[in-house]
């Protein structure tokens, strides 16, 4: 008990000492160390370090003073005293004192002085720490320190003048998309450190003059035709922004190519006439959805080329070259286009080169640089485009309208020799084997939006089957012949008389689209065309409106498919195990075929409602499949191994284990199939 008593008396004694230590003005037996003098590193004016003289910061608004205060004693509380002074307008000194609350040692204190300071005035401030016993540190500007300074400047800079070496303000349509122009900004104020500007796209940027108060220049290349405007304001060293200046101008469309050969025959196009050698024939094959009607077929041998026997591209300046190409092989380097240099080589080559993985890739080589990317496929059309831009001395490559391989630095190379299609100087000529169409050469940058448009292929409507015009039998609609119901497939048509006057009538669910749809019994019911509808090895889009009859389907059910004798190239099905609609693509029809699936969870309909619009896209150029549900992209997956299925389009069933199965129990309407990729913005319109 005596031991416990001694411990209790010790605790009481410690507590009393602590209370005495915490009471200002009360002396304690233990020693107290004064707080630490704040140093310049502990003080900041706003976000800027403490500085003086030429390094003092200019402020355009009320200053924010920040300081860190410390005391070496454990558990100490510290507060701060700040002195602020400046010379008044009449030359007399002005001084203010500020104090902070108390906080633990090492805390950061922030103060915003409320007193007004005249613009153009240099203000100094210093600080010291005060501990909980009232002891003070030295001032921050004592013992080798210095005061912190800032200059108040609330005057806004003058209005900016905007001039251009290329555009005139309000002066009609001016060249144009893909052409660089310059703008110069200048302000009458001598303390401007930046110009803030934006064009009509709303993206803000900043450019700094070479020296304070001087002009600044920017370069600009428009990417679309139409009215544009440039808005600029000057910013001074205190952060004050001046009033805005707006420069309005009209951007014309991009200049036409300097040469454009459609290649339906040797004379089709503009620019210098081409000479076709004996290894060139003209065929009626062309990429679909482009409006082209033919192409030049090159045999890959010595006479397989075309040339105007003259230069076309001025390679000392910005230029671009591109066209539609279909390689007959991808096993070697081949040239689409080139132009002869003075040293017996080609100044540039656009074409195919072997890739490190044993395959091939598209490439554009110029000025000691090569940019490459995108995987070609034998027999498939692709659009390739190479661009050299002297503005930043870079080369770029687009494949099917998408950038490939990034931008690579290059240098201009003179090419006084002839332009070539299908061959290049040196390296065996790299003769092109395959088809070429719609080759163009520009004397400007082809912007990304134009590259995408050049590579665009309008989807072709292969067929649309609804059930409005029939009560039974084949349904006409498009490619592959009519869609004929079989087995337990019947056409449902909404009755003309409704149940309004019959209290005993139970109305059936409404038709999916219009007044009729196809009902499938889930056992034998299906419909099929007479032959294949779409080439499943290329890009295609398919869409259907479907309503499931069951709230808990017994097994997977296929609503659309097209395949061969033993398997489906694609199928659209509902999988009740995952409660999801799926787009399934396979890399072959044998038993070892691998499935690629894009899926979206959607609860079964149970025979109620309007069903769902299920749309699927195979984008062969991008090696992707996409699943849309009710007009919204719901899932996607990479897929690069399509094959051409020769069987008819099936509605309501698919191949399972070599036979037929996955019969759909539900309603189907508005079946549509397209060659090509229907843009995502148009998918919702297919519902109607």
């Amino acid at each position: 008990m005596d031991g416990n008593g001694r411990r209790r008396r010790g605790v009481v004694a410690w507590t009393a000492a602590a209370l005495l230590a915490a009471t200002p003005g009360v002396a304690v037996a233990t020693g107290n160390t004064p707080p630490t003098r704040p140093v310049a590193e502990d003080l900041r004016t706003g976000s800027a370090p403490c500085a003086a003289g030429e390094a003092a910061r200019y402020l355009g608004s009320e200053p924010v003073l920040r300081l860190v205060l410390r005391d070496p004693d454990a558990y100490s509380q510290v507060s701060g005293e700040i002195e602020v002074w400046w010379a008044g307008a009449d030359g007399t000194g002005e001084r203010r004192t500020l104090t902070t609350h108390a906080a633990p040692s090492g805390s950061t204190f922030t103060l915003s002085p409320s007193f007004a300071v005249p613009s153009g005035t240099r203000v100094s401030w210093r600080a010291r720490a005060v501990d909980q016993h009232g002891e003070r540190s030295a001032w921050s500007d004592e013992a080798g320190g210095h005061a912190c300074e800032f200059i108040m400047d609330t005057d806004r800079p003058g209005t900016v003048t905007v001039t251009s070496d290329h555009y005139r303000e309000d002066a009609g349509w001016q060249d144009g998309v893909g052409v660089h122009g310059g703008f110069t900004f200048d302000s009458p104020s001598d303390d401007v450190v930046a110009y803030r500007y934006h064009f009509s796209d709303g993206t803000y940027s900043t450019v700094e003059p070479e020296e304070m108060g001087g002009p600044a220049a920017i370069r600009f290349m428009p990417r679309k035709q139409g009215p544009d405007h440039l808005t600029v304001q000057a910013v001074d060293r205190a952060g004050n922004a001046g009033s805005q200046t707006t420069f309005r101008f009209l951007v014309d469309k991009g200049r036409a190519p300097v040469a454009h050969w459609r290649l339906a025959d040797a004379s089709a196009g503009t620019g210098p006439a081409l000479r076709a050698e004996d290894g060139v024939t003209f065929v009626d094959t062309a990429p679909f959805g482009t409006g082209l009607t033919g192409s030049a077929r090159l045999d890959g041998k010595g006479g397989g080329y075309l040339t105007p026997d003259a230069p076309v591209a001025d390679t000392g300046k910005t230029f671009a070259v591109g066209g539609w190409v279909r390689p007959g092989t991808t096993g070697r380097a081949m040239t689409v286009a080139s132009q002869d240099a003075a040293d017996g080589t080609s100044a540039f080559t656009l074409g195919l080169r072997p890739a490190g993985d044993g395959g091939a890739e598209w490439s554009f080589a110029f000025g000691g640089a090569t940019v490459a990317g995108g995987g070609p496929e034998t027999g498939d059309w692709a659009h390739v485009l190479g661009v050299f831009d002297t503005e930043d001395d870079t080369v770029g490559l687009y494949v099917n309208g998408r950038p490939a391989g990034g931008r690579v630095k290059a240098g201009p190379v003179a090419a006084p020799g002839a332009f070539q299609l299908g061959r290049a100087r040196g390296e065996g000529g790299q003769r092109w084997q395959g088809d070429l169409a719609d080759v163009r050469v520009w004397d400007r940058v082809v912007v990304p939006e134009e590259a995408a448009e050049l590579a665009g292929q309008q989807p072709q409507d292969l067929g649309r089957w609804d059930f409005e015009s029939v009560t039974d039998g084949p349904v006409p609609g498009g490619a592959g012949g009519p869609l004929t119901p079989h087995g337990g497939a019947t056409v449902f048509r909404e009755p003309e008389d409704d149940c309004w006057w019959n209290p005993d009538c139970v109305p059936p669910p409404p038709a999916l689209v219009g007044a009729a749809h196809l009902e499938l019994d889930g056992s034998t019911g299906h419909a099929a065309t007479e032959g294949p509808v779409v080439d499943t090895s290329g890009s295609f889009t398919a869409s259907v409106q479907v309503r499931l009859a069951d709230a808990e389907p017994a097994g997977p059910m296929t609503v659309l498919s097209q395949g061969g004798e033993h398997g489906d190239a694609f199928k659209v099905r509902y999988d009740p195990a995952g409660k999801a609609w799926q787009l399934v693509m396979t890399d072959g029809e044998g038993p070892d075929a691998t499935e690629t699936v894009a899926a979206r969870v959607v609860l079964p309909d149970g025979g109620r409602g309007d069903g769902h619009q299920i749309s699927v896209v195979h984008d062969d150029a991008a090696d992707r499949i996409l699943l849309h549900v009710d007009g919204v992209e719901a899932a996607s997956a990479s897929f690069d191994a399509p094959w051409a299925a020769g069987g008819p389009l099936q509605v309501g069933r698919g191949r399972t284990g070599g036979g037929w199965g996955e019969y759909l129990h539900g309603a189907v309407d508005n079946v549509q199939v397209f060659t090509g990729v229907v843009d995502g913005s148009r998918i919702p319109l297919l519902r109607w």
Side-chain angles (χ1 to χ4, degrees):
M1 183 170 181
D2 291 343
N4 291 337
R6 284 192 296 273
R7 282 195 294 272
R8 282 195 295 270
R9 286 193 296 272
V11 171
V12 171
W14 181 90
T15 304
L19 289 172
L20 288 171
T23 304
V26 177
V28 296
T30 57
N32 177 63
T33 305
T36 305
R37 178 180 69 89
V39 295
E41 290 76 11
D42 296 326
L43 310 178
R44 302 184 75 84
T45 303
S47 60
C50 173
E54 293 296 324
R57 183 177 182 182
Y58 284 76
L59 299 180
S61 59
E62 181 179 90
V64 176
L65 310 182
R66 292 182 170 86
L67 54 155
V68 178
L69 302 176
R70 298 180 177 85
D71 190 321
D73 293 331
Y75 311 109
S76 178
Q77 296 276 318
V78 289
S79 59
E81 291 181 356
I82 299 95
E83 284 190 346
V84 184
W85 66 94
W86 67 93
D90 59 358
T92 60
E94 298 281 351
R95 185 175 292 267
R96 301 287 187 274
T97 301
L98 308 172
T99 59
T100 73
H101 62 281
S105 173
S107 298
T108 298
F109 299 82
T110 302
L111 298 93
S112 296
S114 58
F115 44 82
V117 178
S119 182
T121 302
R122 180 178 292 267
V123 181
S124 303
W125 68 280
R126 63 179 185 172
R128 66 181 176 183
V130 182
D131 69 12
Q132 60 197 7
H133 306 296
E135 290 208 48
R136 290 166 169 77
S137 72
W139 287 103
S140 57
D141 61 347
E142 296 176 341
H146 63 80
C148 305
E149 294 181 343
F150 59 88
I151 298 98
M152 290 302 301
D153 178 6
T154 57
D155 296 331
R156 300 174 66 187
T159 302
V160 177
T161 300
V162 180
T163 57
S164 174
D165 63 0
H166 188 80
Y167 294 101
R168 291 171 296 154
E169 191 169 15
D170 299 323
W173 296 99
Q174 301 164 76
D175 187 34
V177 171
V179 176
H180 292 276
F183 291 91
T184 300
F185 311 145
D186 201 1
S187 169
S189 302
D190 59 5
D191 60 349
V192 170
V193 295
Y195 295 91
R196 186 183 302 139
Y197 67 94
H198 69 88
F199 289 90
S200 56
D201 63 4
T203 302
Y204 281 83
S205 300
T206 300
V207 61
E208 298 179 357
E210 292 186 4
E211 59 182 33
M212 186 170 62
I218 64 167
R219 300 290 290 171
F220 170 68
M221 183 189 70
R223 292 173 51 159
K224 63 180 180 180
Q225 180 187 19
D228 207 336
H229 67 264
L230 169 62
T231 300
V232 190
Q233 61 184 158
V235 180
D236 67 17
R237 57 190 169 186
N240 300 305
S243 58
Q244 293 184 337
T245 296
T246 300
F247 185 101
R248 303 181 187 278
F249 56 102
L250 297 175
V251 177
D252 205 352
K253 63 183 179 181
R255 289 197 299 266
V258 297
H260 180 189
W261 302 286
R262 293 186 179 275
L263 297 181
D265 55 55
S267 62
T270 58
L274 292 172
R275 172 172 58 85
E277 287 297 303
D278 57 7
V280 180
T281 57
F282 295 95
V283 297
D284 59 3
T285 299
F288 77 86
T290 60
L292 300 173
T293 59
S295 59
R297 180 161 293 169
L298 282 57
D299 64 5
K301 299 177 182 178
Y305 69 93
L306 304 96
T307 180
D309 295 313
V312 175
D314 184 349
T315 57
K317 301 178 181 178
T318 295
F319 74 95
V321 57
W324 283 98
V325 298
R326 184 166 76 161
T329 180
T330 56
R332 60 181 177 85
M334 298 195 300
T335 297
V336 172
S338 69
Q339 190 162 302
D340 299 342
D343 60 359
T345 64
S346 293
F348 73 83
T349 57
L350 175 69
L352 269 179
R353 73 170 191 177
D357 58 1
E361 59 186 354
W362 299 108
S363 69
F364 179 53
F366 176 67
T370 300
V371 58
E377 296 183 19
T378 301
D380 282 0
W381 284 102
H383 191 274
V384 294
L385 172 70
V387 180
F388 171 64
D389 188 354
T390 55
E391 192 71 19
D392 57 4
D393 286 338
T394 61
V395 292
L397 173 69
Y398 293 87
V399 176
N400 292 318
R402 300 178 179 91
R407 306 288 296 190
V408 180
K409 280 288 185 180
V413 177
F419 183 85
Q420 309 285 343
L421 286 177
R423 69 174 183 174
R425 291 275 188 182
E427 300 184 33
Q430 299 181 349
R431 297 297 201 277
W432 179 263
Q433 180 182 341
D435 300 340
L436 303 178
D438 201 47
V439 174
R440 310 186 196 200
V441 181
W442 294 264
D443 62 351
R444 62 177 179 86
V445 173
V446 175
V447 300
E449 293 80 359
E450 292 177 307
E453 184 178 355
L454 288 165
Q457 294 176 274
Q458 292 297 319
Q460 293 179 314
D461 189 348
L462 297 179
R464 180 179 184 273
W465 295 269
D466 60 33
F467 303 89
E468 302 298 313
S469 61
V470 299
T471 57
D472 197 4
V475 181
L483 185 66
T484 303
H486 299 278
T490 57
V491 175
F492 165 83
R493 184 171 297 279
E494 291 182 352
E496 294 183 4
D497 296 330
D498 59 27
C499 294
W500 182 259
W501 303 108
N502 183 359
D504 297 325
C505 175
V506 178
L512 288 178
V513 181
H517 62 229
L518 186 67
E519 291 276 5
L520 302 171
D521 65 358
S523 177
T524 61
H526 69 282
T529 56
E530 295 174 352
V533 172
V534 66
D535 179 2
T536 56
S537 67
S539 296
F540 68 86
T541 302
S543 184
V544 63
Q545 192 74 16
V546 57
R547 180 173 61 212
L548 302 179
D550 304 312
E552 296 183 3
M557 296 182 293
T558 295
V559 61
L560 285 180
S561 67
Q562 184 175 311
E565 294 183 7
H566 306 290
D568 292 319
F570 88 92
K571 67 173 64 177
V572 183
R573 72 181 176 194
Y574 188 80
D575 177 22
K579 292 183 171 56
W581 280 105
Q582 299 176 335
L583 166 59
V584 182
M585 299 282 292
T586 67
D587 60 2
E589 64 170 319
D592 298 328
T594 299
E595 291 185 345
T596 298
V597 180
R600 177 69 174 186
V601 173
V602 179
L603 295 179
D605 302 302
R608 298 181 301 274
D610 297 328
H612 297 283
Q613 178 200 19
I614 308 299
S615 306
V616 297
V617 176
H618 172 221
D619 188 341
D620 187 41
D623 292 334
R624 293 199 68 76
I625 59 175
L626 302 98
L627 172 68
H628 296 255
V629 178
D630 294 328
V632 178
E633 183 180 326
S636 64
S638 298
F639 179 71
D640 61 359
W643 57 282
L649 180 72
Q650 302 284 337
V651 176
R653 69 176 183 176
R655 289 286 187 182
T656 57
W660 293 110
E662 296 186 352
Y663 284 89
L664 178 73
H665 187 203
V668 174
D669 202 358
N670 205 21
V671 177
Q672 299 173 81
V673 182
F674 303 83
T675 292
V677 175
V678 174
D679 185 79
S681 64
R682 292 183 54 203
I683 290 288
L685 304 179
L686 302 181
R687 168 73 169 83
W688 309 108

